[in-house]
Amino acid sequence: MTTDQSALPSPAPGNFAGRRARRRAMAVGGFLITLFLTFLGLLAITFFIGRVIPIDPVLAVVGDRATQAQYDAAKIAMGLDRPLYEQFFTYVVNVFSGDLGRSVSTGRAVADDLSRFFPATFEMATLGILIGVALGVPLGVTAAARQGSWLDQAIRVVGLLGYSVPAFWLGLVGLALFYARLRWVGGPGRLDIFYDGLVSPVTGMILIDSLLAGEIDIFWNAVWHIILPASVLGFFSLAYIARMTRSFMLDQLSQEFVTTARVKGVPEQVVIWRHAFNPIRVPLITVIGLSYAGLLEGSVMIETVFSWPGIGNYLTTALLNADMNAVLGSTLVIGAVFIVINKVSDVLYRVLDPRAR
Amino acid sequence: MTTRDWLLADSPTSRWQANAGRAYRVFTALLRNPLSVLGGVIILVLLLTALFAPWIAPFSPTGQSLADRLLPPSGEHWMGTDELGRDIFSRVVWGSQITLTIVLLVALISAPLGLLIGAISGYFGGWVDKILMGFTDIFLSLPKLILALAFVAALGPGINNAIIAIAITSWPAYARIARAETLTIRNAEYISAVQLAGAGPIRVIVQHILPLCTSSMIIRVTLDMAGVILTAAGLGFIGLGAQPPLPEWGAMISRGRTFILDQWWVATMPGFAIIIVSLGFCFLGDGLRDVLDPKSEGKS
Amino acid sequence: MSTPLLEVENLRVSFPTHSGRVEVVKGLSFTLGRERLGIVGESGSGKSMTGRSILKLIRKPGEVTADKLRFEGIDILDQNEKQMRAIRGARISMVMQDPKFSLNPVMTVGEQIAEALVTHQKLGRKEVQQRILDMLTAVRINDPERVAKLYPHEVSGGMGQRIMIAMMLIPEPELLIADEPTSALDVSVQAQVLDIIDDLVTRKGMGLILISHDLALVSRYCDRILVMNAGRVVEECAARELDKAQHPYTRGLLAAMPVIDETRDELPVLDRTQWAGT
Ligand SMILES: Nc1ncnc2c1ncn2[C@@H]1O[C@H](COP(=O)(O)OP(=O)(O)OP(=O)(O)O)[C@@H](O)[C@H]1O
Ligand SMILES: [Mg+2]
C-alpha cells in the first residue's frame, strides 16, 4: 500500500483554492484522455481479433451457411476491399455511433441484444459485490486485528481459495448441494417458470421491476433464484477483499499513530476502526472497484451454469456459434465497463484521500 | 570441504557457485515454511503424475465401457465413472499432462515476451518506453479472461489456440515488472562499465539486465499459474479449449454438468484436481515471495 | 516521604529474533517522585522501549518483565487491558517521538486532540472545543481555530510536536513521558517546546520523564539524569552534579559536548573500548 506519510508541509495559504481548482481540472482532463486512449486500445484489439486474425473475416460474420450473394454483400458492407486503417476508422466511428453489427445467431443488432442482456448480469454482479464487501471487509479487519489466530489462518486459506476454485465448478456444486439436495434456493434461471414474463421489464432488473409492479411474490421468488449465483460471485470478491483488507490493516496497525491512539487510552475497537481502518477506506474503494470489475468477468463463467440470461450467457452462446459480431460486441461492452470501473476507482482514490488533495 | 560449505561460501569463486549458493539458501528458507513445502509437494506430485500417468492410471482414459456407466465412487473406481463408463480417476491422472503442458507453455511464451518488452522499454526509455508501456497498460486494464475468450473465438477452438490466447493476455504484468527492475539498475555503475567496454544494447539487456529480473519474475509467474489453470479450465468448460475425448479437467466438468443433480461425482472430482493444483502454485508462490521479497509480505 | 509516583525495578524488555530472544532493556531500576527525570542514551539504547513498557504498550512478540513496576502503588503488570486504558492518557501519557508518523494522517488535529479528552471525560461539545483551543494556545499555537481544522500533513514539524504535546497534556495526566519531543526540531524551536513542557509540568505538579540523546538539553531541564547504554543504566546522578559523573560512557558523552568558549579544534569521538563489556 502506498500510505505516504512523508507528505510535504502545506504550501502557504493565499492563492490556494485557485491552484487547487486548476489542478483538479487538469486531473479530470488527463483522466478523460487516458480513458479515451485505453478505450481506443480496446477497439484496436477487438478490431485486430475480428478482422485481422481470421483468415476469412466475412465467413466469420455471416457463418458458413450463407449463400455466395450474402457473402459478397457482407464483404462490401464490411468494407473489406478498403485498406486496413480505413477499415479501422470506420469501425471506430460505427462503435461510437452504437453500431456493433448484427448477430448471426439471434438475427438482431448486437447492441440491442446487449442492452437486453446487460441488466441481468449487472443485477447479479452488484448483489455479488454487496455480499463480498459486507463479509470481506469485516473478515479482513478481524483477521488483521487477531493476526496469527485460527481465524486469521482460516481467512488466509479462504483468500487463496478465491484464486484456486473455478467459478463454474463452485456454481455447479452449489446447485447440487443447496438446490438439488437441500432445497434452500431456487434452481437455474431468474424465476420459477410460472412467474416468467409476468412483470414487464422497466429496468430489466427483476428485483427492482417486481417491486415497482408491487409483485411481492415475484420479488421473493427472484431473490430465491439470484441468491446462489450472487453468493458464488460474492465468495470470490469476499476472498479478494478480505485478503487485501487484511494486508492493508496489518500495514496500518504497525504505524506509529496507532500506538499514539493507544497511548491516549482509546478502546481497542476504536483503535481498529477509527484509526487503522479509516485511513484505508480510500484504497479499499480501489480494491472493491477492481473486484467488481472482476465479477463482471466471472459472471461469464457462471451464467451458463445458472442459465442466467445475461451478457455472459450471450457471449458463451456466441462463442460456440462462432458469432464474431456478438463475441466482439460483448467483449467491447464488458471491456469498457471494466476500464471505466478501473479508472474511476483510481480517480476516487485521489479525490477522497485528504493527503492527496 | 562439504557440498554445504561450498554452497554457503561467503566469497564464491564462480558465478555458477554464487547462483547455486543462492538457490540453496532460498530452498532452505522455503523448507521452514510449511505451506510452501505443501505447495512444492503438490507440484512435485503433479509432475510425477504427469510423467508416470500410464503406470498410475488403472484404466484407459478413453476406453469406454457402457456397462459401467455413471458408477459412484467405489474401491474399483475411486472417483466413479462418467457417462461413457470411463474411469474418472484415470482421466484425472492423464489430465495432469494437459494441465502441466498448458502451464509450462504459457509460462515459456509469456514470461520471456514480457521480460523482453519490459527490459527494452526500461533500457531505452523515451518514446520507446512510452509506446510500449502505453500498450502494456491498455492490456492490463482489460479483462484477461474475456480477451482470451475473444482470441480463441477468432483463432478457433482447441488446446493450442487456448495456450496462445492465454499467453497473449498474460505478458503485460511481466513487462511491468521487468521494466521496473530495469529502471532501478539501468544507471548502475557496472552497467555503464559494460557499456564503456563496448557492449551493445542487446548484450547488455540479455546478459546483464534480464538475469537480475528473474527472482521477481519467478514469484509472479508462480502466483499467476493458478489463474492460468483456471482460465484454461474455463475455456475447456465452455468448449473452446481442449476438445473431447481429451481428458482436460475443465472439459470433464462441462460433461458432468448434465448429471450434476444425480451423479455429482462426474463434475465434482476433476474440480478438486484443479483446486489442489492451483492451491499448490499459490502456496509456493506465497512462500517464494516471503523468501525472495520479504518487504511485500501478505500483499497480493 | 509518601509513595513515589513510579517505581521500576529490574525492568526487562525482550524481542524474539532469528538468533533467539534479544533483550533490549536489561534490568532497569529507578524511582520517580513528582520531579523531572531525564533518560539519556544513544540511538537504540532502549529509551523508547522503557517508556512504552511503563504504559504496557510493547506489542506481542515483545515481552516485558519486572520485579516491580508500580505507578502510585498500582502494579502495572497486574492490570488488565481495560484497567490499563483507564490509566493511559488519563494518568500517564507519552509524547511520541516523531510527529510526522505519530499523528493520524486522515483525522484533523482538532479531532485527535478531542479524542484524547473525551476518552476519559464526559464533556459537552462546546466545552471540549473550548478546552482544545485553550490547550493549543497553551502550547503557543497562534490561530488555534484554524490549526484545529488542519490535517497533520498540513502543519510543520514544530507545530506537529506542539500538537502532540497538547494532545497528551489535555487530559491532565500525573506523569508525562516525553520521548525525544524535540529531536525533529531546530535549536531555537527546541528550547521553545521544552520551555512549554517545563512550564506546564511545573505548574500542574506532574512527574516528567524526558527522553533524549542530548545530554546538555536534559541536564538543563531535569532534576535527575539516568544515562543508558545498550539497555542498561550506566550512570544515575543529579543534573547539577553531572560534571562529577564517574562512568566512562558518560564522561565520553560529556567530553563530546561543545562548550561556550571552545578551544579544541576537533571534538573527541566516543571511545567505546573503555566500557565495553559493561
Ligand atoms: N519489534 C522489535 N523487534 C526486535 N527488536 C526491536 C523491536 N523494536 C525495537 N527493537 C530494538 O530495541 C532496541 C531499543 O529500541 P528503542 O526504540 O528503545 O531505542 P531508542 O533508545 O529509543 O533509540 P532512538 O534514540 O533511535 O529512538 C533497538 O536496538 C531496536 O533495534
Ligand atoms: Mg526512541
Side-chain angles (χ1 to χ4, degrees):
Chain A
M1 205 189 107
T2 53
T3 36
D4 187 40
Q5 257 94 30
S6 60
L8 298 165
S10 73
N15 189 16
F16 199 60
R19 215 180 313 156
R20 190 184 281 180
R22 205 171 330 138
R23 212 167 16 167
R24 191 167 294 178
M26 264 164 67
V28 170
F31 166 70
L32 289 178
I33 291 174
T34 41
L35 196 66
F36 178 75
L37 284 181
T38 314
F39 194 66
L40 213 59
L42 173 63
L43 284 172
I45 292 170
T46 48
F47 176 75
F48 179 78
I49 293 174
R51 298 286 167 86
V52 184
I53 296 182
I55 300 161
D56 189 344
V58 182
L59 203 60
V61 168
V62 294
D64 44 14
R65 264 162 290 188
T67 62
Q68 185 63 38
Q70 280 174 319
Y71 182 93
D72 292 339
K75 182 160 183 166
I76 305 281
M78 289 167 73
L80 285 173
D81 40 339
R82 309 267 172 73
L84 264 188
Y85 67 88
E86 218 180 298
Q87 289 183 37
F88 180 60
F89 185 75
T90 327
Y91 177 65
V92 172
V93 170
N94 281 346
V95 168
F96 276 103
S97 60
D99 177 10
L100 297 171
R102 201 158 276 279
S103 155
V104 282
S105 31
T106 64
R108 284 186 297 255
V110 170
D112 289 348
D113 278 346
L114 288 174
S115 60
R116 190 181 330 229
F117 288 118
F118 188 74
T121 302
F122 179 74
E123 190 172 29
M124 181 169 75
T126 305
L127 198 58
I129 194 76
L130 290 179
I131 294 173
V133 173
L135 297 178
V137 170
L139 280 178
V141 170
T142 321
R146 302 194 199 155
Q147 193 188 4
S149 67
W150 65 266
L151 186 83
D152 184 28
Q153 302 294 347
I155 289 169
R156 255 188 110 140
V157 172
V158 167
L160 288 177
L161 279 178
Y163 288 110
S164 343
V165 176
F168 52 90
W169 181 85
L170 196 60
L172 282 174
V173 172
L175 272 181
L177 192 62
F178 296 114
Y179 166 61
R181 197 75 22 116
L182 299 171
R183 293 270 158 202
W184 288 358
V185 299
R190 297 174 90 183
L191 288 172
D192 283 349
I193 296 191
F194 51 89
Y195 284 125
D196 246 352
L198 286 188
V199 284
S200 52
V202 180
T203 61
M205 287 173 272
I206 290 207
L207 292 180
I208 293 176
D209 286 348
S210 58
L211 281 184
L212 287 181
E215 299 275 5
I216 298 299
D217 284 359
I218 299 187
F219 173 77
W220 284 113
N221 190 257
V223 169
W224 206 50
H225 277 266
I226 201 174
I227 197 74
L228 184 59
S231 304
V232 170
L233 285 183
F235 170 76
F236 290 98
S237 77
L238 175 164
Y240 177 61
I241 291 174
R243 189 175 155 97
M244 296 308 283
T245 307
R246 174 181 181 275
S247 135
F248 287 169
M249 282 296 285
L250 285 181
D251 210 58
Q252 291 298 307
L253 285 171
S254 66
Q255 300 279 342
E256 282 291 289
F257 63 79
V258 170
T259 310
T260 305
R262 293 202 174 103
V263 168
K264 291 194 273 188
V266 171
E268 194 60 21
Q269 285 304 313
V270 178
V271 170
I272 287 169
W273 288 100
R274 187 188 293 162
H275 289 274
F277 182 72
N278 267 359
I280 69 167
R281 276 184 315 185
V282 180
L284 267 186
I285 289 177
T286 311
V287 166
I288 292 169
L290 282 178
S291 173
Y292 191 34
L295 289 195
L296 282 178
E297 203 179 0
S299 64
V300 171
M301 281 298 171
I302 73 164
E303 279 181 9
T304 43
V305 171
F306 287 98
S307 310
W308 200 258
I311 285 199
N313 216 343
Y314 180 67
L315 173 59
T316 33
T317 318
L319 284 167
L320 289 176
N321 297 335
D323 182 356
M324 271 325 265
N325 279 341
V327 169
L328 296 179
S330 318
T331 309
L332 265 183
V333 168
I334 298 177
V337 174
F338 203 87
I339 292 173
V340 169
I341 293 179
N342 249 316
K343 302 276 172 190
V344 165
S345 53
D346 217 43
V347 165
L348 273 181
Y349 187 107
R350 266 173 272 156
V351 174
L352 290 180
D353 194 326
R355 285 160 293 181
R357 273 205 291 249
Chain B
M1 193 170 166
T2 65
T3 323
R4 187 159 182 279
D5 290 337
W6 180 80
L7 283 167
L8 292 179
D10 280 331
S11 43
T13 50
S14 67
R15 184 184 269 222
W16 145 243
Q17 184 184 357
N19 287 340
R22 189 171 146 71
Y24 178 75
R25 278 192 205 110
V26 169
F27 183 71
T28 47
L30 275 180
L31 282 185
R32 275 197 287 272
N33 177 348
L35 276 191
S36 39
V37 172
L38 182 60
V41 168
I42 290 173
I43 291 161
L44 197 68
V45 169
L46 173 72
L47 274 171
L48 294 176
T49 312
L51 267 177
F52 299 109
W55 294 277
I56 296 173
F59 296 89
S60 148
T62 46
Q64 306 182 0
S65 156
L66 292 180
D68 298 328
R69 291 179 74 235
L70 297 169
L71 293 180
S74 65
E76 190 185 0
H77 298 286
W78 292 359
M79 296 182 177
T81 62
D82 67 7
E83 80 282 11
L84 298 173
R86 298 175 293 197
D87 179 49
I88 295 178
F89 175 68
S90 304
R91 284 175 66 73
V92 167
V93 167
W94 280 94
S96 65
Q97 289 186 343
I98 299 175
T99 300
L100 197 64
T101 316
I102 293 174
V103 163
L104 282 179
L105 285 179
V106 168
L108 285 179
I109 298 172
S110 60
L113 187 68
L115 258 177
L116 206 65
I117 291 177
I120 291 175
S121 182
Y123 183 80
F124 290 106
W127 61 267
V128 176
D129 184 36
K130 283 224 171 63
I131 291 179
L132 285 179
M133 280 303 120
F135 201 59
T136 308
D137 281 346
I138 288 170
F139 258 94
L140 272 179
S141 56
L142 295 178
K144 274 164 88 171
L145 176 70
I146 306 290
L147 217 52
L149 287 176
F151 270 110
V152 182
L155 292 167
I159 193 160
N160 294 336
N161 290 340
I163 292 171
I164 294 173
I166 298 174
I168 289 178
T169 53
S170 310
W171 63 266
Y174 308 136
R176 271 258 159 237
I177 294 173
R179 174 176 178 273
E181 298 262 332
T182 309
L183 282 182
T184 62
I185 50 186
R186 181 179 61 177
N187 297 323
E189 295 286 331
Y190 74 96
I191 296 285
S192 326
V194 179
Q195 283 168 332
L196 278 180
I202 295 180
R203 196 184 155 90
V204 174
I205 289 177
V206 170
Q207 291 209 335
H208 298 275
I209 290 183
L210 290 188
L212 288 169
C213 305
T214 40
S215 75
S216 38
M217 283 306 268
I218 289 174
I219 300 172
R220 188 58 203 243
V221 170
T222 314
L223 283 172
D224 281 357
M225 283 305 115
V228 169
I229 292 172
L230 290 192
T231 310
L235 289 173
F237 180 75
I238 291 179
L240 293 175
Q243 299 297 307
L246 279 184
E248 197 272 330
W249 296 339
M252 287 169 70
I253 296 177
S254 170
R255 311 275 304 193
R257 267 179 76 177
T258 334
F259 320 105
I260 185 70
L261 300 186
D262 298 313
Q263 286 89 22
W264 54 271
W265 56 88
V266 185
T268 312
M269 292 300 178
F272 286 121
I274 296 176
I275 295 171
I276 290 172
V277 172
S278 304
L279 268 182
F281 279 104
C282 282
F283 288 158
L284 188 67
D286 256 10
L288 275 173
R289 184 179 47 198
D290 290 352
V291 172
L292 296 174
D293 186 12
K295 61 184 178 297
S296 69
E297 197 247 327
K299 314 206 166 154
S300 76
Chain C
M1 203 175 138
S2 59
T3 47
L5 197 55
L6 183 71
E7 294 167 273
V8 179
E9 218 175 283
N10 196 19
L11 175 73
R12 288 172 188 276
V13 180
S14 63
F15 287 98
T17 62
H18 295 294
S19 45
R21 279 200 97 76
V22 172
E23 285 201 333
V24 298
V25 176
K26 303 165 185 154
L28 195 79
S29 303
F30 64 90
T31 51
L32 177 79
R34 298 201 176 265
E35 57 179 334
R36 299 168 302 175
L37 174 75
I39 299 184
V40 198
E42 60 183 350
S43 188
S45 52
K47 307 180 299 284
S48 299
M49 290 301 142
T50 306
R52 281 184 191 201
S53 46
I54 294 170
L55 282 163
K56 219 175 157 184
L57 273 176
I58 305 282
R59 298 279 290 161
K60 244 187 293 173
E63 222 170 65
V64 184
T65 60
D67 293 349
K68 204 188 220 177
L69 184 56
R70 286 175 176 277
F71 170 74
E72 296 215 306
I74 306 168
D75 187 344
I76 295 277
L77 293 182
D78 239 21
Q79 305 291 298
N80 62 25
E81 264 301 297
K82 184 148 180 269
Q83 292 166 315
M84 272 320 289
R85 278 204 299 273
I87 296 178
R88 286 182 199 137
R91 307 190 62 185
I92 311 177
S93 91
M94 177 157 88
V95 172
M96 303 277 292
Q97 197 161 349
D98 194 337
K100 212 196 284 172
F101 298 108
S102 303
L103 292 173
N104 187 324
V106 298
M107 275 170 86
T108 63
V109 165
E111 284 166 354
Q112 296 187 59
I113 300 178
E115 187 182 44
L117 186 58
V118 299
T119 304
H120 300 288
Q121 296 174 31
K122 294 276 155 285
L123 294 172
R125 266 178 59 91
K126 281 245 175 58
E127 204 174 341
V128 170
Q129 203 54 33
Q130 194 50 48
R131 290 272 298 269
I132 293 173
L133 297 183
D134 290 348
M135 197 67 229
L136 284 173
T137 316
V139 293
R140 303 197 200 131
I141 281 181
N142 311 321
D143 200 358
E145 275 163 59
R146 185 182 69 90
V147 173
K149 292 194 192 93
L150 294 180
Y151 286 95
H153 72 272
E154 296 170 329
V155 304
S156 69
M159 271 161 92
Q161 202 62 266
R162 276 179 272 182
I163 288 162
M164 190 57 156
I165 294 167
M167 188 159 86
M168 291 310 173
L169 284 178
I170 203 167
E172 303 183 331
E174 290 143 75
L175 169 61
L176 179 72
I177 304 167
D179 190 353
E180 313 225 13
T182 58
S183 59
L185 310 180
D186 64 47
V187 183
S188 57
V189 193
Q190 247 180 25
Q192 209 184 350
V193 169
L194 282 171
D195 284 337
I196 294 170
I197 294 184
D198 192 48
D199 180 44
L200 294 171
V201 164
T202 13
R203 201 141 30 100
K204 302 228 159 84
M206 305 159 43
L208 170 72
I209 297 180
L210 178 62
I211 297 177
S212 171
H213 55 260
D214 185 341
L215 195 53
L217 202 85
V218 171
S219 64
R220 197 153 2 110
Y221 286 94
C222 294
D223 310 313
R224 217 147 46 83
I225 294 176
L226 288 182
V227 180
M228 273 184 85
N229 181 327
R232 287 200 177 83
V233 175
V234 293
E235 181 98 45
E236 179 173 0
C237 63
R240 271 170 284 115
E241 293 155 15
L242 191 61
D243 43 340
K244 295 186 198 118
Q246 293 302 308
H247 196 272
Y249 179 71
T250 322
R251 298 241 51 104
L253 284 178
L254 281 171
M257 246 160 59
V259 289
I260 296 282
D261 37 15
E262 186 64 70
T263 49
R264 297 171 290 187
D265 284 343
E266 224 177 277
L267 294 172
V269 175
L270 273 183
D271 176 7
R272 283 156 200 275
T273 52
Q274 290 181 43
W275 69 90
T278 48

